[in-house]
Amino acid sequence: MKKFLYTHSNESIAYIIDKISGTPESDIFLVVDANPDVFSDNLNLKLLKREADNFSKTITIVSKIPQILDAARPAGFSVSSDDINIEESISSAPTAESGV
């Protein structure tokens, strides 16, 4: 089952990771437009990815901000610019065959 989580401007990466760990769903769509600074930082994205993998969670970063999507892809996240039509995230997901 899919779960949408929305970030807020005052949330730290640690708080967001805590929210993810407490979510029973394994597929999470993380809407991050309210908190662009946290998700533009490569270190934060690597930490989030590591912890998501530890929790066996699949996270799709959802944002209208192209810089966030550009930073999230190399960190190993699926991305989408539209939180209603998530089909885009499936086509942009990294695969083992693509070497990502």
Side-chain angles (χ1 to χ4, degrees), residues 8-99:
H8 302 283
S9 60
N10 60 342
E11 293 176 338
S12 69
I13 195 66
Y15 181 80
I16 294 165
I17 289 169
D18 190 49
K19 279 177 35 175
I20 290 167
S21 72
T23 301
E25 291 85 1
S26 60
D27 291 326
I28 299 171
F29 294 90
L30 191 59
V31 183
V32 301
D33 287 336
N35 202 346
D37 293 337
V38 169
F39 291 92
S40 296
D41 183 302
N42 288 333
L43 186 60
N44 284 341
L45 288 169
K46 288 178 183 180
L47 179 62
L48 178 62
K49 178 64 173 155
R50 184 188 74 194
E51 294 303 313
D53 290 346
N54 287 341
F55 300 136
S56 299
K57 307 280 185 179
T58 302
I59 297 178
T60 299
I61 302 293
V62 181
S63 180
K64 301 277 187 206
I65 303 170
Q67 295 86 341
I68 291 175
L69 300 178
D70 291 342
R73 277 187 196 100
F77 293 101
S78 298
V79 299
S80 178
S81 61
D82 186 353
D83 60 356
I84 294 171
N85 183 9
I86 298 302
E87 297 304 316
E88 179 185 342
S89 68
I90 295 168
S91 64
S92 66
T95 62
E97 294 173 2
S98 67

